[in-house]
């Protein structure tokens, strides 16, 4: 196991005031060091897998440490109960994306996606829909009917969903539209009925993608590669 104190000290040394300002605009709360993702990715590659270290880093409560924890955690050693505990600490979309990427590498992807999309917490539900996107993008045996039900849920609930949940629902819709031709047709039709999805991105330049156009771009790139 890597030494948590040494790793935290290294993270602190890598942090910058400018990154802390940027992360704060994206909803990241203190404590954080403001470490760039380039440095976090490099450290993750060097340290993983180290599940004991991941647990210690997560317990620190520091945002950068938690991002690194999800990079070094061992999917084979993490249980559903631990993932659920970690998920209760989610408080910004940056960490949600990292959590979803980790859960997608565990055997609990489908169960977490199914349970979390209906959670009353904005962050848990956002994580759930991000996991649905991971399912749609993954190489798995999920049938089209599963994603058709998710499309129906998105269409029925996106207008009244919490701010970040709307964004993640829209992302799931796009991912489903890129899964295969049949789902492309259904996702595009649903997106046209839904219309523009408005999300408050705060003091950032981030925008929520227009689903129909984005799905079309996915397939245009795919067809170009095939040609």
């Amino acid at each position: 196991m890597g030494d948590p104190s040494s790793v935290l000290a290294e993270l602190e040394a890598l942090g910058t005031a400018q990154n802390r300002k940027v992360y704060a605009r994206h909803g990241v709360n203190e404590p954080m060091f403001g470490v760039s993702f380039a440095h976090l990715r490099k450290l993750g590659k060097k340290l993983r897998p180290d599940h004991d270290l991941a647990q210690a880093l997560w317990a620190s409560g520091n945002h950068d440490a938690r991002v690194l924890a999800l990079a070094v955690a061992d999917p084979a050693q993490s249980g559903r109960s631990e993932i659920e505990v970690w998920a209760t600490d989610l408080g910004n979309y940056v960490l949600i994306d990292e959590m979803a990427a980790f859960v997608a590498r565990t055997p609990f992807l489908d169960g977490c996606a199914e349970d979390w999309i209906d959670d009353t917490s904005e962050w848990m539900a956002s994580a759930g829909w991000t996991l649905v996107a991971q399912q749609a993008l993954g190489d798995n045996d999920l049938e089209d009917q599963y994603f058709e039900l998710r499309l129906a849920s998105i269409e029925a609930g996106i207008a009244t969903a919490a701010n970040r949940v709307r964004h993640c629902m829209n992302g799931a819709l796009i991912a489903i539209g890129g899964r295969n031709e049949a789902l492309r047709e259904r996702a595009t039709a649903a997106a046209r009925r839904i219309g523009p999805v408005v999300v408050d991105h705060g003091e950032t330049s981030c925008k929520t993608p227009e689903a129909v156009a984005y799905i079309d771009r996915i397939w245009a790139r795919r067809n170009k590669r095939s040609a």
Side-chain angles (χ1 to χ4, degrees), residues 120-172:
T120 56
S121 161
E122 179 177 5
W123 301 115
M124 288 287 284
S126 296
W129 285 107
T130 305
L131 289 176
V132 172
Q134 292 279 358
Q135 290 176 307
L137 295 169
D139 181 13
N140 51 55
D141 297 326
L142 290 171
E143 297 181 355
D144 285 5
Q145 183 180 15
Y146 173 85
F147 293 105
E148 290 167 4
L149 291 173
R150 296 297 170 270
L151 288 174
S153 295
I154 292 169
E155 188 171 351
I158 195 169
T160 57
N163 188 59
R164 289 305 310 186
V165 180
R166 290 198 300 276
H167 183 78
C168 296
M169 281 180 155
N170 190 66

Side-chain angles (χ1 to χ4, degrees), residues 151 173-174 176-177 182-192 212 215:
L151 288 174
L173 188 157
I174 291 169
I176 292 170
L183 287 173
R184 176 190 184 183
E185 182 179 344
R186 289 170 174 79
T188 298
R192 293 190 190 282
V212 173
I215 291 170

Side-chain angles (χ1 to χ4, degrees), residues 22-27 93 164 200-207:
V22 172
Y23 291 166
R25 288 199 296 270
H26 286 268
Y93 73 84
R164 289 305 310 186
D200 181 2
H201 291 278
E203 300 177 10
T204 74
S205 60
C206 297
K207 296 181 180 179

